Amino acid sequence: NKQNTFASSLKFQAMTAKISTLEEAKQAMVLLGKYHKGLRDVQDEARAKIFEVLSTSEAFEQDVVDNVFHWRKSGLRPSDNMMDAILAKIKEKQDTNSLTKMNKLYHREPLWTSPRMMQAFLRANVAVKDNVASVWKMIGSAGIRSIPVAKEDFMAVLSYLKDAGEDSKIEKICKAFQNPNVPVAATYRSEVASFAKLATTNKDAALASQV
């Protein structure tokens, strides 16, 4: 019942406060995964403590990314702080396998609309070479979900596409983000317009060279 669930949650939180080793964090994850419905009232601070210790593991993908990827079953609910830490480490390690998993997780959770989380995902994807498809899909999600994107991050995406020679994608994204109905466009419409002009100029030059 509700009272027993609450009591169990308090006991679990007290236990996580004492976690100091990787083995203890893994044991807590076993409990959280097995009883995640009964422990759904566990505070984020307790989950964050488990995550903090798990993050020291050399097997980062197995011990952290996989648990967050299956967060509905594992109970390790990913907060903005948690996502920031995971994606920063993925970026540092250039861990494309883990990034692919995290991208997949993000796209299957349509109610995730935190600007901070989107920023972390965009920055992680732009930091990886030969990752055009993922960058393209992520910025598309920002438009679809109406998530505000910081100007520097939006321009970093356009620069990434430009460096990859993806002028056609630049044209498409500029056209979409100049739409006044897309709220993320308002703060940098002039910069988007300049990129759109550049993309058109590049396309005209390419056509001229073929004549």
Side-chain angles (χ1 to χ4, degrees):
N1 60 32
K2 240 180 180 181
Q3 188 173 358
N4 287 337
T5 297
F6 182 66
S8 298
S9 296
L10 290 178
K11 288 179 182 178
F12 185 80
Q13 285 167 206
M15 184 193 79
T16 58
K18 299 176 183 177
I19 290 175
S20 61
T21 67
L22 186 57
E23 190 56 38
E24 289 172 343
K26 288 182 178 181
Q27 289 173 1
M29 276 303 306
V30 171
L31 290 174
L32 192 57
K34 190 173 182 179
Y35 302 108
H36 68 279
K37 290 183 179 177
L39 293 174
R40 59 177 168 263
D41 294 324
V42 170
Q43 298 297 312
D44 284 340
E45 289 82 358
R47 299 175 198 272
K49 180 62 182 293
I50 298 171
F51 167 76
E52 180 185 346
V53 179
L54 282 178
S55 295
T56 64
S57 170
E58 292 184 9
F60 181 74
E61 183 177 350
Q62 178 184 337
D63 289 335
V64 177
V65 174
D66 285 350
N67 277 317
V68 172
F69 184 77
H70 298 293
W71 69 277
R72 290 181 182 273
K73 292 182 179 179
S74 73
L76 193 62
R77 192 162 50 230
S79 63
D80 279 0
N81 283 337
M82 200 176 288
M83 284 297 199
D84 281 349
I86 293 171
L87 292 167
K89 192 153 188 175
I90 286 174
K91 186 166 64 171
E92 175 191 328
K93 294 161 66 73
Q94 289 288 293
D95 185 348
T96 54
N97 286 338
S98 292
L99 182 60
T100 297
K101 286 183 180 178
M102 295 305 292
N103 284 342
K104 185 176 180 181
L105 170 61
Y106 184 85
H107 292 307
R108 82 180 188 199
E109 296 290 347
L111 296 181
W112 286 0
T113 56
S114 161
R116 181 173 160 187
M117 192 180 291
M118 171 56 71
Q119 181 182 66
F121 270 98
L122 281 175
R123 291 183 176 182
N125 277 280
V126 167
V128 175
K129 294 180 180 179
D130 302 320
N131 194 36
V132 169
S134 295
V135 170
W136 173 250
K137 188 171 183 179
M138 194 59 66
I139 194 66
S141 288
I144 291 170
R145 302 183 191 194
S146 296
I147 302 173
V149 177
K151 176 181 172 180
E152 61 184 291
D153 295 316
F154 187 78
M155 299 311 293
V157 168
L158 295 185
S159 295
Y160 185 95
L161 295 175
K162 178 179 177 294
D163 292 343
E166 295 286 351
D167 288 346
S168 61
K169 282 184 168 55
I170 291 175
E171 282 190 275
K172 289 177 183 177
I173 202 169
C174 287
K175 183 177 180 180
F177 277 69
Q178 285 185 91
N179 185 336
N181 294 321
V182 179
V184 289
T187 57
Y188 36 71
R189 193 163 289 135
S190 61
E191 286 84 356
V192 173
S194 67
F195 254 88
K197 184 177 180 180
L198 175 62
T200 302
T201 301
N202 288 345
K203 184 175 73 172
D204 291 344
L207 291 173
S209 68
Q210 296 172 12
V211 176

